[in-house]
Amino acid sequence: MEGRKSVTCSAPVNIAVIKYWGKRDETLILPVNDSLSVTLGLGELCATTTIQASSSFTEDRLWLNNCSEPVSKRLRACIDEAKKQARLQGSLSATDNAAMLDWHVHVCSANNFPTAAGLASSAAGYACLAYCLGQLYNLKGDVSRIARVGSGSACRSVYGGFVEWRMGQLADGSDSCAVQVAPESHWPDLEVLILVVSDRKKGTSSTAGMQTSVQTSELLKHRAASIVPGRMERMRAAIRERDFQTFAELTMKDSNQFHAVCLDTYPPIFYLNDVSRRVIHMVTKLNSLSPALKVAYTFDAGPNAVLFMQSQHVDQVLSLCDYFFVSGVPSEQLDKTLADEVGIAAEANSVQSIIRTKAGCGPCSLSDKSLLNDSGLPV
């Protein structure tokens, strides 16, 4: 008689405010420094994954955004790590499904946002995979280590709210895991605007970029050893105290330094473009016209901007972004005097879309949805 089990989950994107860039171990995905991120709302940016295990499957298979893909070494590493944990925990021994650990799996995953465009698609995807594997094999405890061996930043998407990835010190990576600093409810008036500058696949992947930076950038070494530890301590305190001024300053400085590391890499890596730099100019000028910081920008490995602000400033910032980057036409909400003082030219359609979101929850199970049919093929 055929055995079968299927689970479906969704997992969110996270955006780092203290960046992860560089690995000390490429196989185990162990970072050269701690990092800290904000998990974003599932409703706006998420990956959805179905994993089905069956005694009738003859091989592991993967579909990503409706396209059949080869099963990568990293995906297989996640599956192997989950099975290893299941054997150690004996999580299936009390059921009739212990043989499931020998079954092949079919994996189908889809993002509701562009893949490989610098919007943390791998973080959402591998966090979703890890959470699904945990459900499939009845694992107890933290699954962030499973997510980490797929994509380092994915371990931070296993939790909601504000999440730290501790680099750890042990050679086997057992102490390199994600820890929640504060839940998504902790800072209710912190809001996020994502300016989608480009949905194209980036020219230099994060994996390749990190490898080159580790090999060639002296600034990366200095940053990891001397800069990040102090920033992590101050960022944790800023989040605990809901201190936007410190949060904003650290977020922008760390984004700047990450891209400085990319420039210090040889050959240099360019993730920002002219639109990205115009966003930085807008935020810098807007903050200079205010008695306190209103907005913070950060950019991951891509040109897309992520802006943090408190709720009372969202409408103003949104109207400026729409005018300068989307419509090019002043709206009724736009403060035209302020726009003139910011002093950049409006260029319609330089930003494809603006996504508004907030800190959100971690992964969740979807009992009423499946991306695979009863034969283990995409629906």
Side-chain angles (χ1 to χ4, degrees):
M1 182 177 177
E2 180 187 358
R4 182 186 302 274
K5 183 178 179 181
S6 181
V7 295
T8 302
C9 304
S10 282
V13 161
N14 73 76
I15 296 297
V17 291
I18 303 294
K19 303 296 188 185
Y20 148 58
W21 192 252
K23 307 179 187 76
R24 69 179 192 274
D25 188 304
E26 289 283 343
T27 302
L28 297 176
I29 317 293
L30 302 179
V32 298
N33 61 265
D34 294 342
S35 57
L36 200 153
S37 62
V38 183
T39 300
L40 303 182
L42 271 172
E44 290 73 38
L45 297 165
C46 73
T48 300
T49 299
T50 296
I51 300 183
Q52 195 171 115
S54 174
S55 59
S56 68
F57 294 162
T58 58
E59 61 179 347
D60 296 332
R61 295 193 65 184
L62 168 68
W63 292 268
L64 178 61
N65 294 322
N66 293 320
C67 296
S68 179
E69 301 281 351
V71 175
S72 67
K73 290 182 179 179
R74 289 191 177 184
L75 189 143
R76 194 168 300 283
C78 290
I79 296 171
D80 290 345
E81 180 64 23
K83 289 182 176 182
K84 174 185 171 183
Q85 292 298 321
R87 289 188 176 97
L88 289 172
Q89 294 181 15
S91 59
L92 296 175
S93 61
T95 74
D96 294 330
N97 291 328
M100 191 192 306
L101 294 175
D102 296 321
W103 298 352
H104 289 288
V105 298
H106 287 186
V107 180
C108 188
S109 186
N111 301 325
N112 68 349
F113 60 96
T115 299
L119 287 171
S121 58
S122 63
Y126 277 104
C128 204
L129 176 72
Y131 193 79
C132 278
L133 288 167
Q135 299 290 306
L136 186 71
Y137 297 127
N138 300 330
L139 298 180
K140 299 177 180 65
D142 178 42
V143 296
S144 71
R145 292 174 182 85
I146 299 172
R148 190 201 74 222
V149 300
S151 173
S153 57
C155 70
R156 298 190 308 249
S157 278
V158 168
Y159 297 103
F162 303 83
V163 184
E164 173 185 353
W165 177 14
R166 296 176 179 170
M167 62 179 285
Q169 302 297 328
L170 299 178
D172 67 356
S174 58
D175 60 343
S176 182
C177 59
V179 178
Q180 189 182 63
V181 175
E184 60 269 24
S185 59
H186 172 72
W187 202 341
D189 74 334
L190 184 69
E191 300 216 25
V192 184
L193 296 179
I194 301 170
L195 277 57
V196 181
V197 175
S198 173
D199 59 7
R200 294 178 182 176
K201 186 174 181 179
K202 56 199 176 193
T204 303
S205 71
S206 295
T207 298
M210 285 187 202
Q211 289 174 344
T212 308
S213 292
V214 168
Q215 293 165 2
T216 66
S217 174
E218 293 299 321
L219 178 57
L220 180 145
K221 298 176 180 65
H222 173 69
R223 165 181 161 75
S226 303
I227 304 298
V228 172
R231 284 185 178 170
M232 286 291 295
E233 186 175 346
R234 282 178 283 150
M235 184 61 85
R236 288 188 209 101
I239 291 168
R240 285 196 298 268
E241 298 164 13
R242 294 185 284 273
D243 173 4
F244 184 77
Q245 297 304 300
T246 302
F247 174 89
E249 181 178 335
L250 288 172
T251 295
M252 291 187 284
K253 282 184 173 180
D254 208 71
S255 178
N256 294 345
Q257 191 173 76
F258 157 53
H259 289 280
V261 167
C262 293
L263 289 175
D264 188 53
T265 300
Y266 186 79
I269 305 167
F270 302 95
Y271 287 121
L272 304 183
N273 63 18
D274 288 344
V275 179
S276 310
R277 287 182 279 273
R278 291 178 65 240
V279 173
I280 292 172
H281 178 95
M282 180 196 74
V283 171
T284 303
K285 187 64 176 178
L286 180 60
N287 285 333
S288 73
L289 294 169
S290 307
L293 298 178
K294 284 185 175 182
V295 193
Y297 61 77
T298 189
F299 296 82
D300 279 349
N304 301 306
V306 179
L307 306 182
F308 292 96
M309 68 215 71
Q310 294 172 291
S311 297
Q312 66 264 35
H313 301 308
V314 173
D315 290 344
Q316 182 183 75
V317 175
L318 193 55
S319 66
L320 288 170
C321 289
D322 176 75
Y323 172 59
F324 287 131
F325 305 108
V326 181
S327 70
V329 178
S331 66
E332 292 182 2
Q333 292 76 30
L334 180 70
D335 183 333
K336 295 180 182 178
T337 301
L338 180 60
D340 290 340
E341 289 179 316
V342 169
I344 61 174
E347 294 185 13
N349 303 314
S350 56
V351 164
Q352 296 179 7
S353 62
I354 300 176
I355 301 168
R356 180 175 177 177
T357 186
K358 303 180 75 169
C361 65
C364 63
S365 297
L366 303 174
S367 59
D368 59 345
K369 184 173 183 178
S370 179
L371 303 183
L372 295 171
N373 60 25
D374 290 341
S375 299
L377 299 174
V379 294

